[in-house]
Amino acid sequence: MDRLTPAQVEHFLDKGYVRMPHCFDRRVADEWRQLAFERLGYDEQDPQTWTEARVHLPGMNRVEVKEFAPAAYSAICDLMGGEERIALPVNWSDGFIVNFNVRADEPWQAPSAAASGWHKDGDWFRHFLDSPEQGLLTIVIWSDIGPQSGGTFVAPDSIAPVARFLRKRPVGYHPAEVRFGDLIGECTEFEEVTGQVGDVFLLHPYMLHAASNNPSGRPRFITNPPVSLREPMCFCRANGDYSPVEGAVLRALGVESLEFQISTDRERVVPERVARQEKMLAEQNVRLSQS
Ligand SMILES: O=C(O)CCC(=O)C(=O)O
Ligand SMILES: [Fe+2]
């Protein structure tokens, strides 16, 4: 498998993400999007039937990324320090986050600190500097996303403020108590994620990001599957064999290495989202079986 080039790794260290174009073909994306409309009981051709502006679907179908999108998989391995450090298998599903027409009546606003909804992902674990649960953030593009069409906003220079914030707190943060999004005031770089079906953005797990409004008239389909590490990140490796994700943290903190010890137990949290999505899945299975 092709390795990331030094330039791609440097882009990740500097900007906190790499964009991998054309990682999979349209066939499965087309099928899964069409099924999503059936699952929701929406008519693709009739926006009047899209009763929710934004939906986060539960996954119904899954593929293993290693087979489905080998170039993305290989890049994931490179960024996380090798396949042996990753919790396997790495799967993607049709658990789409669909932005049908969020605030479509408002003029499009360019990404900035003034946008609402900035956050770090991970509603399901206690956050520490070295947390293994959200080892990487992924944005998989399942519908073509032009400019000003609901693409996710990202803040490439958010890695450093998040790293400084977490470093100060060995006791970590419960996901319900922490407001990482407030750190957006320390950021000055903002971009929107656009692309074609099959493009994949691999982002640092600390990356602050936000949903945007979608006045385009075209529903936007992405997924945000986390990739988990088998072990927590390590910032003082004897052989200096840091993954680019770890290296980006060290660079952001301006240190060569760092002794970091958590001072309380790691904790998994079951967010309210899980029960909501289980209920949706059951309802959708009934709807599909009746159609
Ligand atoms: O819809 C988007 O563009 C972003 C969604 C997101 O970041 C999330 O659900 O955590
Ligand atoms: Fe998110």
Side-chain angles (χ1 to χ4, degrees):
M1 283 191 279
D2 285 347
R3 305 292 309 266
L4 285 176
T5 64
Q8 286 173 309
V9 173
E10 178 52 34
H11 190 272
F12 184 84
L13 292 169
D14 185 36
K15 297 290 179 197
Y17 74 89
V18 286
R19 173 176 174 272
M20 304 294 298
H22 316 304
C23 292
F24 56 94
D25 74 37
R26 288 180 178 266
R27 197 176 45 84
V28 172
D30 291 349
E31 268 172 32
W32 281 6
R33 281 198 324 275
Q34 197 190 337
L35 179 64
F37 280 99
E38 290 168 29
R39 290 165 63 184
L40 288 163
Y42 291 4
D43 178 348
E44 186 169 358
Q45 306 307 328
D46 181 4
Q48 298 294 333
T49 64
W50 309 346
T51 49
E52 307 269 357
R54 176 184 191 278
V55 179
H56 189 169
L57 289 168
M60 189 177 271
N61 296 284
R62 280 178 180 73
V63 288
E64 194 168 338
V65 181
K66 190 170 188 168
E67 272 90 56
F68 181 70
Y73 184 75
S74 157
I76 288 168
C77 293
D78 281 356
L79 292 173
M80 295 177 76
E83 190 174 41
E84 60 287 355
R85 291 192 193 167
I86 299 175
L88 300 175
V90 181
N91 289 332
W92 288 342
S93 79
D94 53 357
F96 295 130
I97 303 172
V98 193
N99 182 334
F100 285 99
N101 46 20
V102 170
R103 301 194 314 275
D105 50 339
E106 292 174 21
W108 188 81
Q109 299 279 346
S112 78
S116 57
W118 290 103
H119 65 279
K120 169 187 188 295
D121 270 8
D123 56 4
W124 48 287
F125 61 90
R126 189 173 186 86
H127 291 247
F128 300 97
L129 186 73
D130 63 353
S131 285
E133 292 89 350
Q134 182 89 40
L136 200 67
L137 169 64
T138 315
I139 299 179
V140 187
I141 298 191
W142 298 95
S143 66
D144 294 335
I145 311 173
Q148 307 189 12
S149 304
T152 308
F153 290 166
V154 298
D157 62 351
S158 56
I159 316 308
V162 172
R164 290 192 293 265
F165 183 75
L166 287 170
R167 180 191 184 175
K168 284 190 287 206
R169 266 273 287 208
V171 70
Y173 289 95
H174 188 280
E177 73 174 333
V178 63
R179 292 162 55 96
F180 289 104
D182 291 350
L183 298 167
I184 201 66
E186 296 180 44
C187 303
T188 58
E189 297 176 8
F190 306 99
E191 298 180 21
E192 66 167 327
V193 170
T194 60
Q196 306 293 308
V197 171
D199 294 353
V200 177
F201 283 72
L202 302 173
L203 306 103
H204 198 280
Y206 297 177
M207 181 72 82
L208 295 183
H209 58 283
S212 70
N213 65 323
N214 182 9
S216 72
R218 287 181 306 278
R220 184 241 41 191
F221 288 70
I222 60 164
T223 53
N224 270 178
V227 190
S228 299
L229 289 162
R230 291 159 58 105
E231 301 288 335
M233 289 193 270
C234 177
F235 304 112
C236 54
R237 295 189 182 275
N239 55 7
D241 185 19
Y242 298 109
S243 69
V245 174
E246 292 164 342
V249 175
L250 292 171
R251 185 187 284 196
L253 293 172
V255 295
E256 289 286 311
S257 71
L258 179 73
E259 298 274 355
F260 179 81
Q261 287 285 340
I262 64 171
S263 61
T264 187
D265 289 339
R266 295 190 196 276
E267 184 186 348
R268 287 284 176 106
V269 177
V270 181
E272 179 269 330
R273 170 176 60 80
V274 171
R276 187 164 22 94
Q277 289 185 320
E278 276 170 12
K279 186 162 164 277
M280 274 173 96
L281 189 59
E283 288 166 0
Q284 292 175 356
N285 277 320
V286 170
R287 181 177 286 124
L288 292 181
S289 71
Q290 289 169 344
S291 64

